[in-house]
Amino acid sequence: MKRRWKLSIGLGGGLVLTAALVIGLDAADKAFPPPLERAQVVSPEVLDADGELLRAFATPEGRWRLKTAVEDVDPRFLKMLVAYEDRRFWDHGGVDPLALGRAVLQLVTNGRIVSGASTLSMQVARLIEPRETRSISAKLLQLARAIQIEQRLGKQEILQLYLTHAPYGGNLEGVRAASLAYFGKEPRRLTVAEAALLVALPQSPESRRPDRHIEAAKMARERVLVRSAVADVLGGGEAERAAGDSVPTRRLQLPAYAAHLAEAAIRKQPKAEEYRTTLKRSIQQGLEQVAREAVTKLAPKVSLAMVMADVTTGAIVGEVGSADYFDAGRSGWIDMTRVYRSPGSTLKPFIYGLAFEQGLVSQETIIEDRPADFFGYRPKNFDMSYQGDVSVRQALQLSLNVPAVRLLDAVGPSRLMIRFRRAEVRPVLPPNEAPGLAIGLGGVGITLKDLVQAYAALANRGEPVRLGNGIEDQPGLIEGEPLLEPQAVWNVADVLSDVLPPQGSRRLGIAYKTGTSYGYRDAWSVGFDGRYVLGVWVGRPDNGAVPGIAGYQTAAPILFEAFSKSGVPITPLPPAPAGAVRLAQSDLPISQRRFSMTASGLISASAREPAPQIVYPPEGARVDLGARSGEISPLVLKLQGGRAPFRWLANGRPLAELSHRRTNEWTPDGAGYSTLTVIDAAGRAASVKIFVE
């Protein structure tokens, strides 16, 4: 009885002590948790639209520490890592009793530390809470921290911390930073030799750095290969073949693209870990390569900028704010894609587009290129010479100034500015000035990004597109009225696509326009195909003159080279829409054969109020509108002359509304002959008979 009583007391005391120990350990665990918050500090990353790394920034302490998930790494690397560092990683609770017992026995037997018995969990504990000295107390703390970490995190999370924080020499931390620095690639697909080297380096990162101690790196890699072969991680012969591979002898720079956009992203959200952009890394890489090569041919202090956008989405896919962000001589830190500069002649296509849209001219209409005085404004051509009578097509291709001003005077500078607002593009006028004729020759300020946004509408059949800022702004189509009607856009693109490429460049199938600002301060070139638009600016960031630069000679070659090096396939320009046609000069209506003027300046066809005349469709035309397929497209109607408003009639029946414009649309009921009539405000009429197919 007495013995049974003593046994009960002993068992009860043991249980109390055990409970007290458990409670004490739990309280200690809660009072002194592992500093996992330190592990959250990683390098901010700027990514492209597909998640590829464009640029990374060092941590506050100057470390390249790229966050790495298990799925970011080659699975074979993970198997080799566990086989080499911690074979029972997936089974133990932070401490491997077998490895620990072996290490203690070796210490007693040899009188020195032969193996450390560190598990991956213990190594993570050391990485997030480093100790100055290697002592028994520090080792015991690692053991305790490893157990604490295992209680808080899953095995995948622990492995992710190791992959992110493992040291690789210098200021490299984590397998992603090491793979990029030594192999120039992400660690998703590593060779056997590359994986073995990355497993070996964290054991002694400074003494095994391949860029400094190549033989030590080779020997360490070989030990990993041998152990991996023994553990059946590698197949027969793989270790031997990998041992013969070379070891990288230099450290590469981590990806460093889109400097200005990356800096802008950091300023907007300074505490974020990841920034997703609309850029495409392959395109960005090509544009930056072209910029670096091109700037070597430019004068000192001259910089350049480029913006490339996908007009189907509005996304900026490539952006170069300067050729070299760190080039102080060229003020490389200034993002010249967002600076207002004079656009030179690059706005002329929109003037011609309005003239086409209003039916004032056709491509083969004759227009005068002679000295002219527009109420005191006397524009001159770039080369100070004049061509005399030229076609509208030639005038735009040659970028003649006087014809452009004649047309701008006819369509109205204010109307041109209103059209730009449809595309959310707002050129800046000089203070206290209203839109005048000078805007046609660069008398406004506009950014390269806005200019590309305006041209994106030309590449998108007249539908305006919002580019956004490449970071958080959502690009896309702008709802509302088109910048220009599709027929006018096609005429502009048709003219610009036939401009000869600059000397030394091959034809690419793009439409493009150049411009040079007053005083040789800015050289521009903007081009587009059926999907992408690219703009190039060259000049001095301080707005100083650069004698000899010009859009055609300086910016256009860069445009063609950048389009080629961007890697995007050229998409054909859209086909002509219904109602768009290029007529020979002899086939034009009399009123469109020549754009007339008087001694006092330009007058449009409506200035003298001649009788209305239907410009399109011409008399007797056979127009294919798809009537046979059952889905009839609308027919664009154009007239010249007459006084607004206009009443259109089709086969004697009036269309729905009066029109104040010289263009309209009519959808026929079916195939066959039809008579179209227009009556102006003065009661004058004109008719044409056509056949609809």
Side-chain angles (χ1 to χ4, degrees):
M1 188 76 178
K2 188 175 181 181
R3 184 179 178 184
R4 213 180 270 176
W5 180 75
K6 287 182 178 180
L7 183 60
S8 298
I9 292 177
L11 288 173
L15 290 173
V16 170
L17 288 173
T18 302
L21 180 61
V22 170
I23 293 172
L25 289 174
D26 183 63
D29 178 68
K30 292 178 179 177
F32 303 100
L36 293 174
E37 68 281 353
R38 297 180 187 174
Q40 306 307 313
V41 181
V42 294
S43 294
E45 297 181 37
V46 181
L47 309 178
D48 78 347
D50 300 320
E52 294 294 318
L53 182 65
L54 285 172
R55 195 179 196 89
F57 292 85
T59 63
E61 66 270 22
R63 302 284 181 178
W64 294 109
R65 184 186 302 142
L66 305 181
K67 188 173 182 178
T68 310
V70 172
E71 55 269 19
D72 295 333
V73 182
D74 192 315
R76 186 162 45 184
F77 166 84
L78 298 175
K79 292 178 181 178
M80 294 171 69
L81 173 66
V82 172
Y84 187 75
E85 292 284 1
D86 190 356
R87 285 185 297 166
R88 286 173 286 276
F89 170 71
W90 300 105
D91 302 318
H92 63 64
V95 178
D96 185 349
L98 294 177
L100 185 60
R102 184 188 68 245
V104 172
L105 181 62
Q106 289 174 337
L107 174 62
V108 172
T109 304
N110 296 279
R112 60 185 178 85
I113 297 176
V114 177
S115 61
S118 288
T119 64
L120 287 173
S121 303
M122 292 170 64
Q123 292 184 51
V124 167
R126 185 181 73 247
L127 291 172
I128 65 175
E129 192 177 17
R131 296 282 170 171
E132 293 294 331
T133 58
R134 298 182 65 181
S135 61
I136 294 179
S137 61
K139 200 69 173 179
L140 291 174
L141 179 61
Q142 274 184 39
L143 290 168
R145 290 302 196 202
I147 295 172
Q148 287 182 301
I149 290 171
E150 290 270 355
Q151 291 176 339
R152 287 167 170 78
L153 303 176
K155 290 292 187 179
Q156 295 273 3
E157 294 173 296
I158 294 171
L159 193 55
Q160 179 170 306
L161 288 179
Y162 179 86
L163 296 174
T164 301
H165 291 267
Y168 279 91
N171 62 349
L172 293 176
E173 290 188 5
V175 68
R176 278 187 64 210
S179 182
L180 289 166
Y182 292 129
F183 309 129
K185 66 180 183 180
E186 293 279 356
R188 297 187 188 96
R189 290 181 178 84
L190 297 170
T191 66
V192 171
E194 291 167 347
L197 182 61
L198 293 181
V199 169
L201 292 183
Q203 289 290 313
S204 184
E206 292 303 328
S207 63
R208 296 177 179 177
R209 283 181 59 171
D211 58 330
R212 293 185 179 180
H213 308 287
I214 187 169
E215 291 302 323
K218 283 183 178 179
M219 292 175 62
R221 183 185 68 176
E222 187 170 352
R223 285 193 292 271
V224 174
L225 290 171
V226 170
R227 190 175 299 183
S228 297
V230 171
D232 288 332
V233 172
L234 299 178
E238 281 189 295
E240 291 81 0
R241 289 193 296 271
D245 288 357
S246 60
V247 172
T249 57
R250 65 189 182 96
R251 173 174 160 176
L252 307 174
Q253 181 183 2
L254 267 63
Y257 302 112
H260 296 89
L261 196 66
E263 290 284 355
I266 291 287
R267 286 196 298 270
K268 289 180 179 296
Q269 292 179 288
K271 295 185 179 180
E273 292 181 1
E274 186 178 286
Y275 305 87
R276 187 66 70 108
T277 71
T278 62
L279 303 184
K280 293 283 189 178
R281 177 168 155 171
S282 58
I283 295 176
Q284 183 69 23
Q285 189 173 0
L287 297 188
E288 292 194 16
Q289 178 186 346
V290 171
R292 285 192 301 270
E293 294 171 355
V295 79
T296 61
K297 304 173 186 176
L298 301 175
K301 299 185 178 181
V302 176
S303 187
L304 64 85
M306 288 186 272
V307 174
M308 189 173 196
D310 183 339
V311 302
T312 63
T313 64
I316 295 176
V317 295
E319 182 175 297
V320 179
S322 67
D324 185 352
Y325 183 87
F326 299 102
D327 189 341
R330 302 180 193 273
S331 302
W333 63 87
I334 300 177
D335 183 359
M336 294 306 298
T337 67
R338 303 298 198 269
V339 177
Y340 284 90
R341 303 298 285 259
S342 167
S345 297
T346 56
L347 301 185
K348 287 177 182 176
F350 303 96
I351 299 172
Y352 283 82
L354 277 174
F356 286 134
E357 182 179 284
Q358 295 179 23
L360 298 179
V361 295
S362 292
Q363 290 191 35
E364 299 302 328
T365 299
I366 298 300
I367 191 168
E368 291 186 7
D369 179 39
R370 293 183 176 85
D373 187 332
F374 300 89
F375 304 101
Y377 180 55
R378 301 180 179 88
K380 297 178 176 61
N381 286 325
F382 182 76
D383 60 1
M384 304 304 291
S385 65
Y386 297 91
Q387 302 293 318
D389 284 354
V390 294
S391 69
V392 163
R393 181 181 181 86
Q394 292 171 323
L396 178 53
Q397 290 179 340
L398 297 174
S399 196
L400 301 176
N401 287 344
V402 176
V405 175
R406 295 188 194 282
L407 292 178
L408 181 58
D409 191 32
V411 301
S414 295
R415 182 174 287 117
L416 179 64
M417 297 294 280
I418 290 171
R419 291 302 180 95
F420 284 135
R421 285 202 290 272
R422 291 184 183 180
E424 297 183 0
V425 172
R426 291 174 173 80
V428 176
L429 291 164
N432 303 317
E433 284 195 20
L437 297 179
I439 66 175
L441 306 183
V444 292
I446 194 170
T447 67
L448 176 59
K449 183 255 180 184
D450 277 356
L451 187 61
V452 170
Q453 182 161 311
Y455 271 79
L458 295 182
N460 197 40
R461 300 175 177 84
E463 295 297 325
V465 184
R466 181 184 302 106
L467 303 189
N469 61 7
I471 311 171
E472 80 281 354
D473 284 1
Q474 292 299 315
L477 292 178
I478 299 173
E479 295 183 1
E481 297 182 89
L483 178 65
L484 292 168
E485 292 181 351
Q487 295 80 8
V489 170
W490 178 84
N491 274 290
V492 170
D494 185 56
V495 173
L496 296 181
S497 64
D498 206 28
V499 177
L500 291 175
Q503 188 174 7
S505 300
R506 63 183 181 88
R507 280 188 177 273
L508 296 178
I510 64 173
Y512 81 105
K513 182 73 182 74
T514 62
T516 308
S517 68
Y518 177 78
Y520 298 96
R521 288 176 169 81
D522 310 273
W524 305 81
S525 187
V526 188
F528 58 92
D529 63 2
R531 179 169 181 180
Y532 293 98
V533 57
L534 173 63
V536 176
W537 169 87
V538 180
R540 286 179 51 156
D542 62 3
N543 204 29
V546 186
I549 71 165
Y552 187 76
Q553 290 84 1
T554 309
I558 299 174
L559 174 81
F560 275 72
E561 185 71 5
F563 241 116
S564 298
K565 293 288 180 63
S566 68
V568 300
I570 298 298
T571 302
L573 291 165
V581 63
R582 189 208 304 178
L583 297 175
Q585 207 271 339
S586 58
D587 295 331
L588 292 174
I590 295 176
S591 59
Q592 270 202 334
R593 292 182 182 178
R594 186 178 191 89
F595 192 73
S596 61
M597 63 171 289
T598 66
S600 60
L602 174 69
I603 58 172
S604 68
S606 61
R608 295 176 180 174
E609 291 186 0
Q613 183 176 7
I614 298 175
V615 176
Y616 188 86
E619 174 66 30
R622 299 180 71 91
V623 185
D624 186 359
L625 299 178
R628 295 175 182 173
S629 66
E631 296 182 4
I632 301 180
S633 301
L635 175 65
V636 175
L637 312 175
K638 293 185 179 182
L639 67 89
Q640 193 169 31
R643 183 192 307 171
F646 305 102
R647 168 66 72 185
W648 284 90
L649 299 93
N651 299 319
R653 289 177 294 179
L655 302 191
E657 297 177 356
L658 288 172
S659 174
H660 288 267
R661 303 174 63 184
R662 286 181 166 77
T663 59
N664 209 333
E665 284 189 354
W666 165 64
T667 303
D669 297 329
Y673 286 100
S674 291
T675 300
L676 300 172
T677 303
V678 64
I679 304 173
D680 75 350
R684 296 169 294 185
S687 297
V688 294
K689 191 172 184 178
I690 64 170
F691 186 85
V692 175
E693 297 178 334

